[in-house]
Amino acid sequence: MVAAGYFMYGSSCTLVLSSGGGVNGFTLDPSLGEFILTHPDIKIPKKGKIYSVNEGNAKNWDEPTRNYVERCKFPQDGSSPKSLRYIGSMVADVHITLLYGGIFMYPADKKSPNGKLRVLYEVFPMSFLMEQAGGQAFTGSIRALDLVPTKIHQRSPVFLGSYDDVEEIKALYVAQEGKA
């Protein structure tokens, strides 16, 4: 992957883009008809205070995902709980995660054991952006960008965000493997 980006429309039109040398954010200036660099060299915080996941699917999650979300709500180290921010649009949820830190999760579950997001045009681009900004992307078993798709519409789970937050869920998956 050599480049990735997304547009986000709302009160303004935002373009977030990486061509392999970091991540930059641009905002459309309608009076000029041009995108202006408004967020140069975006770096995701090493640890975040938010998590983003569809908790409506919690009953179908695997143990590491359940345990991670439980830790977000009830931290074992006495720190403040993370705040849930789930919009339901991957671009909007990843955008908030990228700017403020935390983790975006779309785990595999009992209904979708191979995940729901498409590797080539959802998982890879967002994983590339997250890594270019200093974060990580993980599938529950490997680094997301190390996947080798065998089908054009192949799906995968993904956990992406702040480096430390992704490390924490990776550790839960490793611990689960040790039990097996």
Side-chain angles (χ1 to χ4, degrees), residues 12-42:
S12 63
C13 179
T14 303
L15 164 64
V16 175
L17 181 67
S18 175
S19 58
V23 180
N24 291 295
F26 303 85
T27 304
L28 179 64
D29 182 335
S31 67
L32 297 174
E34 295 180 9
F35 282 89
I36 308 300
L37 177 64
T38 53
H39 295 81
D41 197 26
I42 297 170

Side-chain angles (χ1 to χ4, degrees), residues 101-124:
I103 190 166
F104 170 83
M105 301 178 282
Y106 212 117
D109 61 27
K110 292 175 187 166
K111 293 187 300 182
S112 302
N114 295 321
K116 287 190 87 172
L117 297 178
R118 278 70 54 105
V119 172
L120 292 176
Y121 42 97
E122 291 170 321
V123 174
F124 277 178

Side-chain angles (χ1 to χ4, degrees), residues 4 7-8 18 26 39 42-43 69 74 88 96 119 122 134 138 168 174:
F7 286 95
M8 193 169 64
S18 175
F26 303 85
H39 295 81
I42 297 170
K43 297 289 183 206
V69 171
F74 306 101
I96 289 171
V119 172
E122 291 170 321
F138 174 67
E168 190 176 338
V174 168

Side-chain angles (χ1 to χ4, degrees), residues 26-153:
F26 303 85
T27 304
L28 179 64
D29 182 335
S31 67
L32 297 174
E34 295 180 9
F35 282 89
I36 308 300
L37 177 64
T38 53
H39 295 81
D41 197 26
I42 297 170
K43 297 289 183 206
I44 187 168
K46 195 165 191 289
K47 187 165 182 64
K49 296 180 180 177
I50 62 169
Y51 70 104
S52 181
V53 66
N54 182 355
E55 290 204 61
N57 293 328
K59 72 176 186 166
N60 295 313
W61 291 341
D62 60 19
E63 184 179 338
T65 303
R66 275 195 314 274
N67 289 343
Y68 183 80
V69 171
E70 191 71 12
R71 288 181 184 190
C72 288
K73 294 177 183 181
F74 306 101
Q76 300 165 340
D77 63 3
S79 62
S80 296
K82 290 186 185 294
S83 296
L84 172 65
R85 296 287 181 265
Y86 185 70
I87 298 163
S89 161
M90 184 186 194
V91 169
D93 287 321
V94 170
H95 186 71
I96 289 171
T97 304
L98 186 64
L99 295 180
Y100 300 107
I103 190 166
F104 170 83
M105 301 178 282
Y106 212 117
D109 61 27
K110 292 175 187 166
K111 293 187 300 182
S112 302
N114 295 321
K116 287 190 87 172
L117 297 178
R118 278 70 54 105
V119 172
L120 292 176
Y121 42 97
E122 291 170 321
V123 174
F124 277 178
M126 293 305 190
S127 298
F128 183 81
L129 289 169
M130 202 57 71
E131 287 190 5
Q132 286 292 309
Q136 294 192 74
F138 174 67
T139 66
S141 59
I142 64 170
R143 175 180 171 252
L145 290 174
D146 287 341
L147 278 170
V148 178
T150 57
K151 295 182 238 162
I152 193 160
H153 300 297

